[in-house]
Amino acid sequence: MSARDPLVAEAPGVMRTRGWADYALVDSGGGRKLERYGPYTVVRPEPQCLWSPALPESAWAEADAVFDPTNEDEDAGRWRFRGKPADAWPLAWGEAKFLARFTAFRHLAFFPEQAANWAWLDARIRSRGGQPRVLNLFGYTGVASLVMAAAGAHVTHVDASKKAVAMARENAELSGLADRPIRWITEDARKYVAREARRGSQYDGIILDPPKYGRGPTGEVWRLFEDLPELAGLCAGLLSENASFLILNAYAERISGAALAGLLSEKLKGRGGGIEWGELALVQDGGAREIGMSFYARWAS
């Protein structure tokens, strides 16, 4: 290893997201989790919860919404409602405000476990000062983009879904951040990054949060294991000389933080800095249980 190669942490870490005013993991067990999103409680499938729930079944039965999977893919299914919860309602994390929604894929239009990353990004950008240029790939409904914009960054937000970008812009309006320097791009992430590389564009920080599988706006196919190495290399090439970070996050079951760290280590040769890696976890109220939600590797200068 040369003196300028990134130093990879010897042991994994756990980035823990604990509940905040508008979200909590209330209970878990029996392959499910009971969560609170603002005024509503929600039950969603979570196969990792191999233990028994701490609360009685009566507490779970009072949930406002339950997602019932239709097959072995827990993302496919439908919602059952008790009463008539709103179609969309506002939540907040710091200065970022966003709408929660009951989507067709069991998610509520954002990923609460990512709050640990939001906190890290907020602190990183504020401590750097100035107006760093950051790129958020697969940015979805934009909470990370809004957190970074509120901290002072110039943000480029990219997602292949026109609907997701529209929701991100709506969240920016809700947050009072629509006048901040945020570029909203609806495009396939690989095409955008390749074009930026040809232009010689540079960024001071990049978030790369790809799905396991996806499609671009004109039918492009994304497969994590086949396509991530090339995209990670292109992203490394977009980092400015004084770049601050590159975060790589993945939800695929067959991947690991160690694998992501190995990929970043290869693509960031000669950049110095360090690479932390491990697991992103939700902490249940009371702290007795944690649910691992995704894997990450994070380079910082």
Side-chain angles (χ1 to χ4, degrees), residues 117-165:
N117 270 326
W118 304 338
W120 188 89
L121 288 164
D122 179 79
R124 187 84 184 173
I125 291 170
R126 290 183 190 276
S127 65
R128 178 187 175 101
Q131 192 177 70
R133 295 185 71 235
V134 297
L135 175 61
N136 187 9
L137 296 171
F138 305 94
Y140 195 37
T141 57
V143 183
S145 293
L146 299 178
V147 168
M148 292 188 293
H154 185 295
V155 182
T156 299
H157 174 106
V158 181
D159 197 279
S161 167
K162 184 177 181 180
K163 182 178 180 180
V165 173

mmCIF file of all heavy atoms in Angstrom, residues 117-165:
data_model
loop_
_atom_site.group_PDB
_atom_site.id
_atom_site.type_symbol
_atom_site.label_atom_id
_atom_site.label_comp_id
_atom_site.label_asym_id
_atom_site.label_seq_id
_atom_site.Cartn_x
_atom_site.Cartn_y
_atom_site.Cartn_z
ATOM 1 N N ASN A 117 -26.752 8.771 8.456
ATOM 2 C CA ASN A 117 -25.972 9.396 7.388
ATOM 3 C C ASN A 117 -26.266 10.884 7.278
ATOM 4 O O ASN A 117 -25.362 11.689 7.030
ATOM 5 C CB ASN A 117 -26.272 8.722 6.043
ATOM 6 C CG ASN A 117 -25.349 7.557 5.743
ATOM 7 O OD1 ASN A 117 -24.179 7.557 6.112
ATOM 8 N ND2 ASN A 117 -25.872 6.545 5.071
ATOM 9 N N TRP A 118 -27.537 11.264 7.444
ATOM 10 C CA TRP A 118 -27.885 12.697 7.373
ATOM 11 C C TRP A 118 -27.097 13.491 8.419
ATOM 12 O O TRP A 118 -26.590 14.570 8.134
ATOM 13 C CB TRP A 118 -29.374 12.910 7.579
ATOM 14 C CG TRP A 118 -30.262 12.162 6.636
ATOM 15 C CD1 TRP A 118 -29.938 11.668 5.399
ATOM 16 C CD2 TRP A 118 -31.627 11.810 6.867
ATOM 17 N NE1 TRP A 118 -31.015 11.037 4.850
ATOM 18 C CE2 TRP A 118 -32.060 11.096 5.712
ATOM 19 C CE3 TRP A 118 -32.529 12.017 7.909
ATOM 20 C CZ2 TRP A 118 -33.369 10.608 5.610
ATOM 21 C CZ3 TRP A 118 -33.807 11.530 7.805
ATOM 22 C CH2 TRP A 118 -34.225 10.830 6.656
ATOM 23 N N ALA A 119 -27.024 12.944 9.634
ATOM 24 C CA ALA A 119 -26.307 13.640 10.704
ATOM 25 C C ALA A 119 -24.827 13.781 10.356
ATOM 26 O O ALA A 119 -24.212 14.833 10.594
ATOM 27 C CB ALA A 119 -26.480 12.895 12.023
ATOM 28 N N TRP A 120 -24.239 12.726 9.796
ATOM 29 C CA TRP A 120 -22.822 12.775 9.422
ATOM 30 C C TRP A 120 -22.597 13.806 8.325
ATOM 31 O O TRP A 120 -21.651 14.602 8.380
ATOM 32 C CB TRP A 120 -22.362 11.393 8.972
ATOM 33 C CG TRP A 120 -20.888 11.276 8.741
ATOM 34 C CD1 TRP A 120 -19.933 10.939 9.654
ATOM 35 C CD2 TRP A 120 -20.194 11.508 7.498
ATOM 36 N NE1 TRP A 120 -18.686 10.940 9.061
ATOM 37 C CE2 TRP A 120 -18.816 11.289 7.739
ATOM 38 C CE3 TRP A 120 -20.600 11.872 6.214
ATOM 39 C CZ2 TRP A 120 -17.850 11.415 6.749
ATOM 40 C CZ3 TRP A 120 -19.634 12.009 5.222
ATOM 41 C CH2 TRP A 120 -18.277 11.783 5.496
ATOM 42 N N LEU A 121 -23.463 13.814 7.308
ATOM 43 C CA LEU A 121 -23.330 14.756 6.204
ATOM 44 C C LEU A 121 -23.498 16.198 6.682
ATOM 45 O O LEU A 121 -22.747 17.089 6.273
ATOM 46 C CB LEU A 121 -24.377 14.443 5.127
ATOM 47 C CG LEU A 121 -24.126 13.178 4.305
ATOM 48 C CD1 LEU A 121 -25.400 12.767 3.571
ATOM 49 C CD2 LEU A 121 -22.986 13.398 3.324
ATOM 50 N N ASP A 122 -24.488 16.418 7.531
ATOM 51 C CA ASP A 122 -24.725 17.762 8.054
ATOM 52 C C ASP A 122 -23.481 18.287 8.769
ATOM 53 O O ASP A 122 -23.027 19.416 8.526
ATOM 54 C CB ASP A 122 -25.925 17.733 9.008
ATOM 55 C CG ASP A 122 -26.220 19.089 9.623
ATOM 56 O OD1 ASP A 122 -26.828 19.932 8.935
ATOM 57 O OD2 ASP A 122 -25.847 19.302 10.796
ATOM 58 N N ALA A 123 -22.913 17.473 9.646
ATOM 59 C CA ALA A 123 -21.730 17.897 10.393
ATOM 60 C C ALA A 123 -20.524 18.085 9.470
ATOM 61 O O ALA A 123 -19.747 19.040 9.628
ATOM 62 C CB ALA A 123 -21.407 16.868 11.482
ATOM 63 N N ARG A 124 -20.383 17.204 8.498
ATOM 64 C CA ARG A 124 -19.232 17.263 7.593
ATOM 65 C C ARG A 124 -19.252 18.546 6.766
ATOM 66 O O ARG A 124 -18.228 19.231 6.616
ATOM 67 C CB ARG A 124 -19.255 16.043 6.669
ATOM 68 C CG ARG A 124 -18.029 15.887 5.781
ATOM 69 C CD ARG A 124 -16.918 15.202 6.506
ATOM 70 N NE ARG A 124 -15.709 15.124 5.698
ATOM 71 C CZ ARG A 124 -14.550 14.686 6.150
ATOM 72 N NH1 ARG A 124 -14.440 14.275 7.398
ATOM 73 N NH2 ARG A 124 -13.485 14.639 5.370
ATOM 74 N N ILE A 125 -20.410 18.881 6.226
ATOM 75 C CA ILE A 125 -20.519 20.052 5.362
ATOM 76 C C ILE A 125 -20.396 21.340 6.170
ATOM 77 O O ILE A 125 -19.720 22.289 5.764
ATOM 78 C CB ILE A 125 -21.840 19.999 4.575
ATOM 79 C CG1 ILE A 125 -21.769 18.857 3.552
ATOM 80 C CG2 ILE A 125 -22.129 21.325 3.877
ATOM 81 C CD1 ILE A 125 -23.070 18.537 2.885
ATOM 82 N N ARG A 126 -21.014 21.391 7.348
ATOM 83 C CA ARG A 126 -20.930 22.604 8.166
ATOM 84 C C ARG A 126 -19.504 22.849 8.654
ATOM 85 O O ARG A 126 -19.051 24.000 8.727
ATOM 86 C CB ARG A 126 -21.893 22.505 9.346
ATOM 87 C CG ARG A 126 -23.362 22.577 8.939
ATOM 88 C CD ARG A 126 -24.289 22.546 10.137
ATOM 89 N NE ARG A 126 -25.677 22.373 9.731
ATOM 90 C CZ ARG A 126 -26.482 23.360 9.341
ATOM 91 N NH1 ARG A 126 -26.030 24.605 9.323
ATOM 92 N NH2 ARG A 126 -27.732 23.114 8.985
ATOM 93 N N SER A 127 -18.789 21.788 8.983
ATOM 94 C CA SER A 127 -17.420 21.963 9.471
ATOM 95 C C SER A 127 -16.475 22.390 8.355
ATOM 96 O O SER A 127 -15.470 23.066 8.605
ATOM 97 C CB SER A 127 -16.911 20.672 10.118
ATOM 98 O OG SER A 127 -16.803 19.636 9.157
ATOM 99 N N ARG A 128 -16.790 21.996 7.126
ATOM 100 C CA ARG A 128 -15.948 22.371 5.987
ATOM 101 C C ARG A 128 -16.086 23.853 5.669
ATOM 102 O O ARG A 128 -15.117 24.529 5.329
ATOM 103 C CB ARG A 128 -16.320 21.533 4.765
ATOM 104 C CG ARG A 128 -15.524 21.880 3.509
ATOM 105 C CD ARG A 128 -16.066 21.146 2.302
ATOM 106 N NE ARG A 128 -15.394 21.553 1.082
ATOM 107 C CZ ARG A 128 -14.433 20.866 0.472
ATOM 108 N NH1 ARG A 128 -14.030 19.717 1.003
ATOM 109 N NH2 ARG A 128 -13.879 21.293 -0.644
ATOM 110 N N GLY A 129 -17.301 24.377 5.774
ATOM 111 C CA GLY A 129 -17.544 25.774 5.452
ATOM 112 C C GLY A 129 -17.617 25.997 3.955
ATOM 113 O O GLY A 129 -17.421 25.082 3.140
ATOM 114 N N GLY A 130 -17.904 27.225 3.557
ATOM 115 C CA GLY A 130 -18.036 27.542 2.147
ATOM 116 C C GLY A 130 -19.299 26.935 1.565
ATOM 117 O O GLY A 130 -20.280 26.695 2.275
ATOM 118 N N GLN A 131 -19.263 26.681 0.271
ATOM 119 C CA GLN A 131 -20.409 26.081 -0.421
ATOM 120 C C GLN A 131 -19.912 24.918 -1.288
ATOM 121 O O GLN A 131 -19.780 25.035 -2.502
ATOM 122 C CB GLN A 131 -21.130 27.121 -1.291
ATOM 123 C CG GLN A 131 -22.483 26.662 -1.797
ATOM 124 C CD GLN A 131 -23.187 27.752 -2.591
ATOM 125 O OE1 GLN A 131 -22.781 28.102 -3.687
ATOM 126 N NE2 GLN A 131 -24.256 28.281 -2.015
ATOM 127 N N PRO A 132 -19.600 23.783 -0.669
ATOM 128 C CA PRO A 132 -19.082 22.655 -1.436
ATOM 129 C C PRO A 132 -20.102 22.150 -2.457
ATOM 130 O O PRO A 132 -21.311 22.192 -2.230
ATOM 131 C CB PRO A 132 -18.809 21.592 -0.364
ATOM 132 C CG PRO A 132 -19.703 21.966 0.771
ATOM 133 C CD PRO A 132 -19.784 23.459 0.758
ATOM 134 N N ARG A 133 -19.605 21.668 -3.586
ATOM 135 C CA ARG A 133 -20.451 21.086 -4.630
ATOM 136 C C ARG A 133 -20.581 19.590 -4.345
ATOM 137 O O ARG A 133 -19.588 18.869 -4.289
ATOM 138 C CB ARG A 133 -19.859 21.302 -6.016
ATOM 139 C CG ARG A 133 -19.779 22.748 -6.442
ATOM 140 C CD ARG A 133 -19.298 22.867 -7.881
ATOM 141 N NE ARG A 133 -20.327 22.399 -8.807
ATOM 142 C CZ ARG A 133 -20.148 21.451 -9.726
ATOM 143 N NH1 ARG A 133 -18.970 20.834 -9.804
ATOM 144 N NH2 ARG A 133 -21.108 21.097 -10.541
ATOM 145 N N VAL A 134 -21.819 19.132 -4.171
ATOM 146 C CA VAL A 134 -22.032 17.724 -3.850
ATOM 147 C C VAL A 134 -23.013 17.117 -4.844
ATOM 148 O O VAL A 134 -23.881 17.802 -5.391
ATOM 149 C CB VAL A 134 -22.546 17.539 -2.402
ATOM 150 C CG1 VAL A 134 -21.514 18.023 -1.408
ATOM 151 C CG2 VAL A 134 -23.861 18.264 -2.188
ATOM 152 N N LEU A 135 -22.868 15.824 -5.054
ATOM 153 C CA LEU A 135 -23.680 15.073 -6.004
ATOM 154 C C LEU A 135 -24.388 13.957 -5.268
ATOM 155 O O LEU A 135 -23.754 13.156 -4.574
ATOM 156 C CB LEU A 135 -22.772 14.498 -7.099
ATOM 157 C CG LEU A 135 -23.401 13.575 -8.143
ATOM 158 C CD1 LEU A 135 -24.489 14.289 -8.943
ATOM 159 C CD2 LEU A 135 -22.313 13.022 -9.069
ATOM 160 N N ASN A 136 -25.709 13.896 -5.403
ATOM 161 C CA ASN A 136 -26.510 12.847 -4.764
ATOM 162 C C ASN A 136 -27.124 11.983 -5.853
ATOM 163 O O ASN A 136 -28.078 12.387 -6.524
ATOM 164 C CB ASN A 136 -27.605 13.473 -3.891
ATOM 165 C CG ASN A 136 -28.363 12.430 -3.077
ATOM 166 O OD1 ASN A 136 -27.986 11.272 -3.020
ATOM 167 N ND2 ASN A 136 -29.447 12.857 -2.448
ATOM 168 N N LEU A 137 -26.563 10.793 -6.066
ATOM 169 C CA LEU A 137 -27.028 9.875 -7.102
ATOM 170 C C LEU A 137 -28.045 8.893 -6.533
ATOM 171 O O LEU A 137 -27.878 8.398 -5.429
ATOM 172 C CB LEU A 137 -25.846 9.114 -7.693
ATOM 173 C CG LEU A 137 -24.807 9.970 -8.424
ATOM 174 C CD1 LEU A 137 -23.583 9.128 -8.768
ATOM 175 C CD2 LEU A 137 -25.405 10.588 -9.691
ATOM 176 N N PHE A 138 -29.073 8.589 -7.323
ATOM 177 C CA PHE A 138 -30.214 7.789 -6.870
ATOM 178 C C PHE A 138 -30.850 8.498 -5.666
ATOM 179 O O PHE A 138 -31.124 7.894 -4.633
ATOM 180 C CB PHE A 138 -29.786 6.366 -6.496
ATOM 181 C CG PHE A 138 -29.048 5.633 -7.591
ATOM 182 C CD1 PHE A 138 -27.663 5.636 -7.634
ATOM 183 C CD2 PHE A 138 -29.733 4.942 -8.584
ATOM 184 C CE1 PHE A 138 -26.965 4.968 -8.637
ATOM 185 C CE2 PHE A 138 -29.039 4.276 -9.594
ATOM 186 C CZ PHE A 138 -27.654 4.280 -9.621
ATOM 187 N N GLY A 139 -31.072 9.801 -5.808
ATOM 188 C CA GLY A 139 -31.437 10.660 -4.686
ATOM 189 C C GLY A 139 -32.849 10.501 -4.172
ATOM 190 O O GLY A 139 -33.191 11.092 -3.146
ATOM 191 N N TYR A 140 -33.724 9.771 -4.880
ATOM 192 C CA TYR A 140 -35.088 9.461 -4.461
ATOM 193 C C TYR A 140 -35.849 10.756 -4.134
ATOM 194 O O TYR A 140 -35.875 11.669 -4.949
ATOM 195 C CB TYR A 140 -35.056 8.471 -3.302
ATOM 196 C CG TYR A 140 -36.383 7.793 -2.993
ATOM 197 C CD1 TYR A 140 -37.266 7.431 -4.006
ATOM 198 C CD2 TYR A 140 -36.750 7.505 -1.686
ATOM 199 C CE1 TYR A 140 -38.479 6.795 -3.725
ATOM 200 C CE2 TYR A 140 -37.958 6.870 -1.392
ATOM 201 C CZ TYR A 140 -38.808 6.530 -2.416
ATOM 202 O OH TYR A 140 -40.010 5.907 -2.126
ATOM 203 N N THR A 141 -36.475 10.855 -2.964
ATOM 204 C CA THR A 141 -37.310 12.018 -2.652
ATOM 205 C C THR A 141 -36.534 13.154 -1.978
ATOM 206 O O THR A 141 -37.132 14.115 -1.519
ATOM 207 C CB THR A 141 -38.503 11.609 -1.776
ATOM 208 O OG1 THR A 141 -38.026 10.985 -0.579
ATOM 209 C CG2 THR A 141 -39.419 10.655 -2.521
ATOM 210 N N GLY A 142 -35.216 13.023 -1.895
ATOM 211 C CA GLY A 142 -34.393 14.178 -1.650
ATOM 212 C C GLY A 142 -34.077 14.589 -0.230
ATOM 213 O O GLY A 142 -33.563 15.693 -0.021
ATOM 214 N N VAL A 143 -34.328 13.741 0.767
ATOM 215 C CA VAL A 143 -34.062 14.200 2.134
ATOM 216 C C VAL A 143 -32.577 14.504 2.331
ATOM 217 O O VAL A 143 -32.221 15.550 2.884
ATOM 218 C CB VAL A 143 -34.561 13.175 3.174
ATOM 219 C CG1 VAL A 143 -34.328 13.720 4.583
ATOM 220 C CG2 VAL A 143 -36.043 12.879 2.971
ATOM 221 N N ALA A 144 -31.699 13.627 1.861
ATOM 222 C CA ALA A 144 -30.260 13.886 2.004
ATOM 223 C C ALA A 144 -29.870 15.156 1.259
ATOM 224 O O ALA A 144 -29.029 15.940 1.740
ATOM 225 C CB ALA A 144 -29.457 12.702 1.500
ATOM 226 N N SER A 145 -30.451 15.385 0.093
ATOM 227 C CA SER A 145 -30.152 16.602 -0.662
ATOM 228 C C SER A 145 -30.557 17.839 0.125
ATOM 229 O O SER A 145 -29.835 18.842 0.155
ATOM 230 C CB SER A 145 -30.887 16.581 -2.009
ATOM 231 O OG SER A 145 -30.387 15.554 -2.848
ATOM 232 N N LEU A 146 -31.709 17.789 0.780
ATOM 233 C CA LEU A 146 -32.180 18.936 1.554
ATOM 234 C C LEU A 146 -31.321 19.164 2.791
ATOM 235 O O LEU A 146 -31.040 20.307 3.158
ATOM 236 C CB LEU A 146 -33.639 18.741 1.937
ATOM 237 C CG LEU A 146 -34.616 18.621 0.760
ATOM 238 C CD1 LEU A 146 -36.025 18.369 1.264
ATOM 239 C CD2 LEU A 146 -34.563 19.862 -0.117
ATOM 240 N N VAL A 147 -30.913 18.084 3.449
ATOM 241 C CA VAL A 147 -30.026 18.212 4.610
ATOM 242 C C VAL A 147 -28.722 18.905 4.202
ATOM 243 O O VAL A 147 -28.234 19.811 4.891
ATOM 244 C CB VAL A 147 -29.746 16.826 5.224
ATOM 245 C CG1 VAL A 147 -28.601 16.895 6.235
ATOM 246 C CG2 VAL A 147 -31.003 16.264 5.889
ATOM 247 N N MET A 148 -28.163 18.491 3.068
ATOM 248 C CA MET A 148 -26.899 19.082 2.623
ATOM 249 C C MET A 148 -27.090 20.529 2.187
ATOM 250 O O MET A 148 -26.240 21.383 2.462
ATOM 251 C CB MET A 148 -26.303 18.235 1.498
ATOM 252 C CG MET A 148 -25.845 16.858 1.963
ATOM 253 S SD MET A 148 -24.924 15.946 0.699
ATOM 254 C CE MET A 148 -26.212 15.639 -0.521
ATOM 255 N N ALA A 149 -28.202 20.824 1.498
ATOM 256 C CA ALA A 149 -28.466 22.194 1.080
ATOM 257 C C ALA A 149 -28.639 23.103 2.287
ATOM 258 O O ALA A 149 -28.134 24.235 2.315
ATOM 259 C CB ALA A 149 -29.712 22.240 0.193
ATOM 260 N N ALA A 150 -29.342 22.622 3.305
ATOM 261 C CA ALA A 150 -29.535 23.413 4.516
ATOM 262 C C ALA A 150 -28.209 23.673 5.222
ATOM 263 O O ALA A 150 -28.043 24.709 5.882
ATOM 264 C CB ALA A 150 -30.511 22.698 5.459
ATOM 265 N N ALA A 151 -27.255 22.751 5.077
ATOM 266 C CA ALA A 151 -25.941 22.909 5.705
ATOM 267 C C ALA A 151 -25.022 23.827 4.914
ATOM 268 O O ALA A 151 -23.929 24.161 5.385
ATOM 269 C CB ALA A 151 -25.282 21.542 5.885
ATOM 270 N N GLY A 152 -25.448 24.216 3.700
ATOM 271 C CA GLY A 152 -24.658 25.166 2.921
ATOM 272 C C GLY A 152 -24.090 24.649 1.621
ATOM 273 O O GLY A 152 -23.359 25.365 0.944
ATOM 274 N N ALA A 153 -24.431 23.425 1.226
ATOM 275 C CA ALA A 153 -23.856 22.847 0.018
ATOM 276 C C ALA A 153 -24.621 23.266 -1.234
ATOM 277 O O ALA A 153 -25.809 23.579 -1.190
ATOM 278 C CB ALA A 153 -23.852 21.323 0.121
ATOM 279 N N HIS A 154 -23.935 23.256 -2.356
ATOM 280 C CA HIS A 154 -24.539 23.370 -3.685
ATOM 281 C C HIS A 154 -24.777 21.942 -4.159
ATOM 282 O O HIS A 154 -23.830 21.187 -4.362
ATOM 283 C CB HIS A 154 -23.600 24.120 -4.632
ATOM 284 C CG HIS A 154 -24.177 24.393 -5.985
ATOM 285 N ND1 HIS A 154 -24.506 23.388 -6.866
ATOM 286 C CD2 HIS A 154 -24.504 25.554 -6.595
ATOM 287 C CE1 HIS A 154 -24.995 23.926 -7.971
ATOM 288 N NE2 HIS A 154 -25.008 25.236 -7.839
ATOM 289 N N VAL A 155 -26.031 21.550 -4.328
ATOM 290 C CA VAL A 155 -26.399 20.148 -4.507
ATOM 291 C C VAL A 155 -26.867 19.872 -5.929
ATOM 292 O O VAL A 155 -27.668 20.633 -6.486
ATOM 293 C CB VAL A 155 -27.510 19.738 -3.521
ATOM 294 C CG1 VAL A 155 -27.853 18.254 -3.673
ATOM 295 C CG2 VAL A 155 -27.095 20.043 -2.083
ATOM 296 N N THR A 156 -26.389 18.773 -6.503
ATOM 297 C CA THR A 156 -26.958 18.217 -7.731
ATOM 298 C C THR A 156 -27.624 16.895 -7.368
ATOM 299 O O THR A 156 -26.965 15.966 -6.904
ATOM 300 C CB THR A 156 -25.883 17.994 -8.802
ATOM 301 O OG1 THR A 156 -25.280 19.245 -9.135
ATOM 302 C CG2 THR A 156 -26.501 17.395 -10.056
ATOM 303 N N HIS A 157 -28.935 16.839 -7.557
ATOM 304 C CA HIS A 157 -29.753 15.688 -7.170
ATOM 305 C C HIS A 157 -30.164 14.948 -8.437
ATOM 306 O O HIS A 157 -30.794 15.529 -9.321
ATOM 307 C CB HIS A 157 -30.985 16.186 -6.411
ATOM 308 C CG HIS A 157 -31.989 15.125 -6.084
ATOM 309 N ND1 HIS A 157 -32.144 14.623 -4.811
ATOM 310 C CD2 HIS A 157 -32.913 14.480 -6.853
ATOM 311 C CE1 HIS A 157 -33.110 13.716 -4.817
ATOM 312 N NE2 HIS A 157 -33.592 13.615 -6.042
ATOM 313 N N VAL A 158 -29.808 13.656 -8.526
ATOM 314 C CA VAL A 158 -30.078 12.873 -9.727
ATOM 315 C C VAL A 158 -30.901 11.637 -9.374
ATOM 316 O O VAL A 158 -30.556 10.895 -8.444
ATOM 317 C CB VAL A 158 -28.767 12.428 -10.412
ATOM 318 C CG1 VAL A 158 -29.056 11.619 -11.678
ATOM 319 C CG2 VAL A 158 -27.894 13.630 -10.750
ATOM 320 N N ASP A 159 -31.988 11.433 -10.101
ATOM 321 C CA ASP A 159 -32.764 10.204 -9.969
ATOM 322 C C ASP A 159 -33.428 9.918 -11.317
ATOM 323 O O ASP A 159 -33.808 10.839 -12.038
ATOM 324 C CB ASP A 159 -33.827 10.329 -8.874
ATOM 325 C CG ASP A 159 -34.358 8.967 -8.432
ATOM 326 O OD1 ASP A 159 -35.232 8.410 -9.133
ATOM 327 O OD2 ASP A 159 -33.880 8.447 -7.398
ATOM 328 N N ALA A 160 -33.570 8.622 -11.639
ATOM 329 C CA ALA A 160 -34.164 8.232 -12.915
ATOM 330 C C ALA A 160 -35.673 8.391 -12.935
ATOM 331 O O ALA A 160 -36.285 8.394 -14.011
ATOM 332 C CB ALA A 160 -33.792 6.784 -13.242
ATOM 333 N N SER A 161 -36.293 8.506 -11.773
ATOM 334 C CA SER A 161 -37.754 8.580 -11.670
ATOM 335 C C SER A 161 -38.229 10.027 -11.681
ATOM 336 O O SER A 161 -37.906 10.808 -10.782
ATOM 337 C CB SER A 161 -38.229 7.890 -10.386
ATOM 338 O OG SER A 161 -39.582 8.195 -10.121
ATOM 339 N N LYS A 162 -39.017 10.365 -12.692
ATOM 340 C CA LYS A 162 -39.598 11.708 -12.767
ATOM 341 C C LYS A 162 -40.489 11.967 -11.559
ATOM 342 O O LYS A 162 -40.499 13.077 -11.004
ATOM 343 C CB LYS A 162 -40.393 11.840 -14.062
ATOM 344 C CG LYS A 162 -40.971 13.218 -14.302
ATOM 345 C CD LYS A 162 -41.684 13.273 -15.648
ATOM 346 C CE LYS A 162 -42.255 14.652 -15.913
ATOM 347 N NZ LYS A 162 -42.962 14.697 -17.227
ATOM 348 N N LYS A 163 -41.218 10.942 -11.118
ATOM 349 C CA LYS A 163 -42.103 11.083 -9.965
ATOM 350 C C LYS A 163 -41.306 11.357 -8.695
ATOM 351 O O LYS A 163 -41.680 12.218 -7.882
ATOM 352 C CB LYS A 163 -42.941 9.822 -9.794
ATOM 353 C CG LYS A 163 -43.938 9.879 -8.645
ATOM 354 C CD LYS A 163 -44.771 8.612 -8.577
ATOM 355 C CE LYS A 163 -45.778 8.674 -7.432
ATOM 356 N NZ LYS A 163 -46.595 7.421 -7.362
ATOM 357 N N ALA A 164 -40.190 10.640 -8.498
ATOM 358 C CA ALA A 164 -39.375 10.845 -7.305
ATOM 359 C C ALA A 164 -38.785 12.248 -7.283
ATOM 360 O O ALA A 164 -38.752 12.912 -6.234
ATOM 361 C CB ALA A 164 -38.261 9.802 -7.241
ATOM 362 N N VAL A 165 -38.314 12.742 -8.428
ATOM 363 C CA VAL A 165 -37.748 14.084 -8.487
ATOM 364 C C VAL A 165 -38.821 15.130 -8.208
ATOM 365 O O VAL A 165 -38.565 16.132 -7.521
ATOM 366 C CB VAL A 165 -37.052 14.326 -9.837
ATOM 367 C CG1 VAL A 165 -36.618 15.782 -9.980
ATOM 368 C CG2 VAL A 165 -35.835 13.408 -9.981
#
